[in-house]
Amino acid sequence: MKWARENLFSGWANTLLTLSIAFLLFKTIPPFIDWAFLDAVWRPDPQACRATHGACWGFVAEKHRFILFGTYPYEEHWRPAVATILLILLWVVSAMRIFWKPWLALVWLAGLACIGTLMWGGVLGLPYVENERWGGLILTLLLATFSIAFAFPLSILLALGRRSNMPAIQALCVAYIELIRGVPLISLLFMASVMLPLFLPSGVSIDKMLRAEIALIAFAAAYLAEVVRGGLQAIPRHQYEAARALGFGYWGETAFVILPQALRIAVPPLVNTFIGLFKDTSLVVIIGLFDFLQTLKISLNEPAWTGFGVEAYLFAAMVYFVFCFAMSRYSKKLELNPSGPSPRLPTG
């Protein structure tokens, strides 16, 4: 009661706002529950869906394989399903500080090797499946994972280069960051799809998935570089002086004193950029890749299931929300409790 009196009914304006919100929730939540659950159709029956006033979740039940795995061969769907589980497990393991050991990199290499073996096949009796057949949720997760993994270290180098005292390196980094940040991601994907092959030697080609990955990495690195630079500028000058007093050179000072503090300060905007990049993977449709959102759109084109876009996009929103909310909560936890295994400083 005390909490409610202090936070919900502390004044006439606050009381009026609380009552208005309560009335709005009372008017919207019960009808939504009726539509989404009580009157909903859960079986894949288009006629039953059109005969009811509730949601048609049967659309998701009918099209879930295509939504999750795209045009991957139907009889081989267990392979992208296992690959998706492995990739999510790698994320979960990496989020646990008990596993923040040097061998975690080897775990990632082994996990990605298993995922690549499952997805491509061609070995161990698995039929070969080309990249063009990949799609759905697994494609979105792979694009986001590799984009973040490669863009983040590149962004650190760009941020350090922009603050460098060497004019040539600084100019190159500034030019790259400002050029990439000055154009939309769609234009980069279009350039990667159309222009990049023109600069390759005759007979050399790069598949669409790799071209999309290059564009996403280049785009994310420019934005992340400015976030990291903001963290670097927030470090007090005496931290640099203390590091030099301990005998560190530039790289030792950066690796063991400055960069860990800068990244800790920059955790919220870094994760915000990661979340944006995860959602921006839906733009790869510009070069003909069918990610999670695009497979939903294609599924709605079937005449039997037209008109159920609300359910389709609610399902997509739920999936995106689960991944983005998990990243957000983890960053909040990391920000509030930043203490972890500290790097061992070199002696001597």
Side-chain angles (χ1 to χ4, degrees), residues 159-210:
L160 294 175
R162 183 159 189 169
R163 290 170 53 86
S164 174
N165 293 324
M166 292 181 278
I169 293 179
Q170 185 184 43
L172 287 175
C173 292
V174 170
Y176 174 86
I177 292 171
E178 297 302 330
L179 176 64
I180 298 298
R181 293 176 73 235
V183 295
L185 177 57
I186 289 180
S187 65
L188 291 179
L189 289 169
F190 181 79
M191 292 286 290
S193 176
V194 178
M195 299 299 295
L196 182 60
L198 300 178
F199 294 94
L200 298 176
S202 178
V204 178
S205 62
I206 301 178
D207 62 73
K208 291 189 292 185
M209 183 175 174
L210 183 56

Side-chain angles (χ1 to χ4, degrees), residues 82-83 86-87 90 110-120 138 142:
V82 174
L86 283 176
L87 190 57
L90 286 174
L112 292 177
C114 292
I115 292 172
T117 301
L118 286 170
M119 295 299 295
W120 269 299
I138 182 60
L142 287 173

Side-chain angles (χ1 to χ4, degrees), residues 118-130:
L118 286 170
M119 295 299 295
W120 269 299
V123 296
L124 303 176
L126 299 175
Y128 175 75
V129 179
E130 62 275 9

Side-chain angles (χ1 to χ4, degrees), residues 68-69 77-90 115 118-119 137-139 141-142 323:
L68 295 178
F69 310 128
H77 277 180
W78 67 271
R79 289 160 56 180
V82 174
T84 302
I85 295 172
L86 283 176
L87 190 57
I88 294 175
L89 285 177
L90 286 174
I115 292 172
L118 286 170
M119 295 299 295
L137 181 61
I138 182 60
L139 179 63
L141 295 179
L142 287 173
F323 285 100

